[in-house]
């Protein structure tokens, strides 16, 4: 089980392609992982979303942040696998 107490972050970034490539590498090597995606255009406060403040001038590729976590025992092996991707 991968919980917040025994995981390490192997990727954080805005690139969906890199996020997908790393996930494919992890699946191909039978490495368990968890991930989180954050949409920066959503607001936690009612009335303060993109509809109110707009998105003019914001680059769409930066609207999402992707995180991938593996068990800390798999971190070294995973890090070597994803180098260069």
């Amino acid at each position: 089980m991968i919980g917040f107490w025994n995981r390490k972050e192997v990727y954080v970034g805005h690139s969906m392609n890199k996020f997908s490539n790393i996930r494919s590498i992890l699946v191909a090597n039978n490495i368990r992982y968890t991930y989180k995606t954050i949409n920066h255009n959503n607001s936690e406060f009612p009335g303060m979303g993109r509809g109110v403040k707009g998105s003019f001038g914001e680059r769409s590729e930066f609207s999402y942040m992707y995180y991938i976590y593996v068990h800390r025992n798999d971190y070294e092996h995973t890090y070597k696998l994803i180098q260069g991707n």
Side-chain angles (χ1 to χ4, degrees), residues 33-84:
Y33 68 94
T34 60
Y35 67 92
K36 176 172 63 172
T37 305
I38 296 177
N39 182 351
H40 292 291
N41 287 335
N42 284 342
S43 176
E44 295 178 12
F45 304 105
M48 292 301 295
R50 200 176 68 184
V52 172
K53 65 181 181 177
S55 62
F56 180 75
E58 292 180 15
R59 295 178 62 176
S60 62
E61 63 265 22
F62 295 126
S63 62
Y64 285 91
M65 183 70 86
Y66 303 99
Y67 299 85
I68 300 176
Y69 306 96
V70 297
H71 193 279
R72 65 177 157 203
N73 294 339
D74 295 327
Y75 178 78
E76 294 294 327
H77 180 62
T78 301
Y79 187 77
K80 290 175 186 175
L81 289 172
I82 65 173
Q83 285 298 306

Side-chain angles (χ1 to χ4, degrees), residues 24-38:
S24 296
I25 291 169
L26 295 175
V27 168
N29 288 279
N30 296 317
I31 298 173
R32 292 184 311 163
Y33 68 94
T34 60
Y35 67 92
K36 176 172 63 172
T37 305
I38 296 177

